[in-house]
Amino acid sequence: MASFVNAEVGIQVCVLKTFGDAFDYLAPQPLPAIGARVLVPFRRQERVGIVVALESALPHDKLKTIIKILDNEPVLMPAILTLCQWISRYYHAPLSEVIHRALPKKIRLGESLEQLLQPYYTLAQPLAQAQANLKPQATKQHALLNLLATHASLSHKEVRGYGFSKAQLDQLAAQGAITRYLKPPECPISNAQVPAHVLNDEQNSAVHHILPYLHRFQCFLLEGITGSGKTEVYFTVIKHLLAQQKQVLILVPEIGLTPQLCRRFEQQFSTPLVVIHSRLNDHERLSAWQHAKTGNARLVIGTRAAIFTPMPDLGLIIIDEEHDSSFKQLDGVRYSARDSALMRAKALDIPVILGSATPSLESLHNALSGRFGHIKLTKKAQTGAKVRYIVSDIRQQKLQEGLAASTIATIKKHLQAKNQVLVFINRRGFAPILMCHQCGWLAHCLHCDSHLTLHTTTAKLLCHHCNMHQTRPTQCQQCTSHELIAVGLGTQRITQHLQTLFPNTSIARIDRDEVQSKEGLAAHLEAINQQTTQLIIGTQMLAKGHDFPHLTLVVVLDTDTAFYSQDFRALEQLGQILTQVAGRAGRAKAGEVIIQTHLPEQPLLQTLLKAGYHAFAQALLAARQQARLPPFAYIAVIRAQHHSESRVHKFLMTLKPYLQNFNLDLLGPAPAPLYRKARVYRLQLLLKATNRPILHQALHALCQHITLSRHQGVQWSIDVDPIDLF
Ligand code: ADP
Ligand code: ZN
Ligand code: ZN
């Protein structure tokens, strides 16, 4: 045999979780496909890797040969590989980390795709012939043949359901009477039961704005007030795409993926549809992924990570509540699913719709500057009940557990009218501080630069940063006084107080302590819809996505902190939360929103309440432009942490020289806003550039010199476009 027949070719394989992008190997002919899994020798182990290139610049005699090809077809479609490579470059994350996120666990572990397939059985011979080969006394086997004769095919599960055993099936198969074959599980098909609304003029014009762009890359910002019928606009556009045999991907925030929303989609489409979220088990996830990849599923609804779903006929990506912070991953690969969606759409030349009542300043800026199409829905789709804002000036007022007398009176009025009331405070627990009345000592976390929050239901002090908890002390640790007082407000304290004020009212507290699971949340929401709950105390868990038709009053406590926050996005988030929470009221009936504040004349607050979110956001944009902050500047944070303060500092100092020759502002090393967390010191460098390429050149130069693994135990990371500087 001529040796060139067996000539091996250099290839690149991405071995997952190696802090690297790819390693070079030799592969014999026929070569694996790009995107297929291979088994490779790696540091004396056998590891699963993904083929990412069929070339290598390294001399062949330095390379090891792959052990085995695991797939004939790529598991990582070219479009997803391209997306992963973009994310790896843009967020300066190793490709092996990005691809790790993109693939279901069972695929990463190298399991065969075949095991997803279910066994089915059919008759292999005419019934009479099969019967003739059986002993007459084999009654069970005869019955089994009769059963199969009356069905085209039956799954293993169905046959077992009729009371037959695996042994009986195996025996008939061995005799050649029946055939066993493997078939993928059916994709769940939703069944439209609800006719679509006739769109109003605004919705119609939104749809007609979008339809001409279905075959190319174009991003639309659909800015529509709560209840203006954005979802119905999505439905109509989606129907056009489905009719053209396209698939559609819909991304929603973690908190927005409610059974309510899924039901609405299922009621609109008679289409194979899968939902992808973090609570799926490995098998469900793989199954949904496979349905999307084979094109069986035409609609995919999912949270952040669903941006990696392979969809060969993808024709549109919709991002609902695009401003939501859960679209940005906060650890590991710090990608934004929204921005990644734009890249995926651009590569495929398909449109994207970003929907929100309170768009992010980035998207708004893009819309105002003409880069995105800008579509507005300004009217409620259903008889628009009005919401009235009441700014309650609480300066010098006597407060009862944080509530002004006028607020309590208004709550009473709404409860007496048999309506629902929501009190919104974004802090869980009873009180954020336990203080000694004698000497001013504060209960502090031993491991963090943070106070401990008092939780009375468990009689514990809890650190909200590291979860350290201890039983509530009875004495001051400084002066031994017994006079320890709870300072500040939390959901538990408000709930307790309102329960004493309104003893006959059914009250529910909805926060992370009370509601640990989505099922728990669903039960609470059901009780609210059934009106068994009349008064609700909640955190931002409740701020979006849920319809409460009987809610007529929202009370917002604690808005003032945002005006003092160091975080440059705090005001944007306040505006979004206030608008979203207010959107819960007045869905069906006219509503009121009370905002208790010490800053009633704050101009931005006034703009928000009088002129609405859009005007507020424009004012914030002007301020960001002045301060040269995103979206008018491009920033990245390099964070580092270690038990030794000096070691973190020294490490960040060694990075600086690599970044200094670029035209950017380099700030730090400076302590992170929470300097010590869980006994670890945290410092950061801030990079700020007037354009994106400069920022990326600098980070790229840095990554050339220093890998993202630990350095002398110092853990570090790069966050491009951070959503906060913590
Ligand atoms: P958004 O997503 O903008 O908050 P939704 O799409 O949820 O708004 O619509 C709000 C409510 O109005 C829903 O109950 C929806 O069924 C209803 N709705 C939407 N469009 C129409 C329409 N054209 N006619 C009547 N009702 C509508
Ligand atoms: Zn004391
Ligand atoms: Zn702590």
Side-chain angles (χ1 to χ4, degrees), residues 445-452 462-468 674 676-679:
C445 178
L446 292 174
H447 313 309
C448 306
D449 285 337
S450 167
H451 305 304
L452 293 172
L462 177 72
C463 174
H464 284 190
H465 296 288
C466 72
N467 265 336
M468 195 277 291
L674 188 65
R676 201 171 62 113
K677 178 175 170 177
R679 297 188 194 187

